[in-house]
């Protein structure tokens, strides 16, 4: 399965093509790390503009991109650092509800801290090494909790705290 869809497949009968043509068109090559990060950027953009109905399809797509990124990250082509550099500054961690910065995600989380801080979803444990190398934290420290509390304060200012905020605090 190629993740790039319309970028690669122009013909419906790709299976009937000679292997030499498939190779010449680049259809047998796995997508590069750069292309996968481009697709992840597109998913981030799509998630910001779509509602609840597209969440499941985004989750499936993200899972496939993460899996391929992990393969690229583990490959012997030396792209591990490149993958992390391409992802830096980007809110690329899918929490199941939204994309967040990897600095807002930790592997070991003892309490529920949503929507400010997040646990690495169980489905991403196979990508844990890559996630940790690219900015996900092992566990949150006091400075992370303080920044989350400041976010609560900035968001609600003089209003009463909502249920979600009270659960966090």
């Amino acid at each position: 399965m190629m993740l790039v869809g319309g970028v690669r497949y122009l013909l419906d009968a790709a299976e009937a093509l000679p292997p030499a043509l498939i190779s010449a068109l680049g259809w047998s090559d796995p997508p590069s790390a750069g292309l996968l990060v481009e697709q992840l950027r597109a998913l981030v953009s799509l998630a910001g503009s779509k509602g609840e109905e597209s969440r499941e399809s985004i989750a499936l797509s993200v899972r496939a991109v993460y899996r391929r990124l992990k393969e690229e990250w583990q490959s012997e082509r030396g792209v591990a650092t490149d993958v992390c550099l391409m992802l830096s500054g980007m809110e690329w961690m899918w929490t199941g509800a939204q994309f967040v910065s990897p600095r807002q995600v930790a592997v070991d989380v003892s309490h529920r801290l949503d929507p400010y801080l997040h646990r690495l979803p169980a489905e991403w444990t196979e990508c844990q090494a890559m996630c940790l190398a690219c900015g996900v934290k092992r566990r949150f420290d006091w400075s992370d909790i303080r920044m989350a509390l400041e976010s609560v304060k900035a968001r609600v200012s003089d209003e009463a705290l909502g249920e979600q905020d009270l659960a966090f605090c």
Side-chain angles (χ1 to χ4, degrees), residues 32-166:
S32 68
L35 185 58
L36 292 167
V37 171
E38 283 180 40
Q39 291 176 349
L40 193 53
R41 284 183 203 281
L43 287 168
V44 169
S45 178
L46 180 68
S49 65
K50 297 293 180 186
E52 192 79 26
E53 69 280 353
S54 64
R55 191 169 288 166
E56 185 60 33
S57 60
I58 289 172
L60 291 172
S61 300
V62 167
R63 189 173 299 124
V65 171
Y66 280 7
R67 193 172 298 119
R68 292 306 294 260
L69 270 176
K70 180 194 74 144
E71 290 169 10
E72 280 294 303
W73 188 81
Q74 291 176 330
S75 73
E76 296 183 17
R77 292 187 287 277
V79 297
T81 305
D82 294 343
V83 168
C84 291
L85 283 173
M86 288 184 266
L87 293 171
S88 68
M90 183 176 151
E91 292 185 345
W92 60 275
M93 284 302 309
W94 178 250
T95 65
Q98 63 185 3
F99 284 99
V100 298
S101 166
R103 293 183 311 267
Q104 294 175 273
V105 179
V107 175
D108 300 324
V109 179
S110 57
H111 300 310
R112 208 179 152 116
L113 306 170
D114 300 359
Y116 304 98
L117 299 172
H118 308 272
R119 172 182 288 127
L120 184 68
E123 61 222 39
W124 308 140
T125 54
E126 69 180 83
C127 304
Q128 182 175 318
M130 179 189 75
C131 293
L132 287 168
C134 295
V136 168
K137 298 179 176 202
R138 174 72 53 199
R139 59 185 57 82
F140 295 120
D141 61 20
W142 66 269
S143 65
D144 299 312
I145 305 297
R146 188 189 80 226
M147 285 186 359
L149 288 170
E150 288 172 359
S151 294
V152 171
K153 181 182 176 188
R155 194 170 71 86
V156 298
S157 63
D158 292 332
E159 300 172 24
L161 291 176
E163 294 247 349
Q164 194 173 37
D165 299 317
L166 286 172

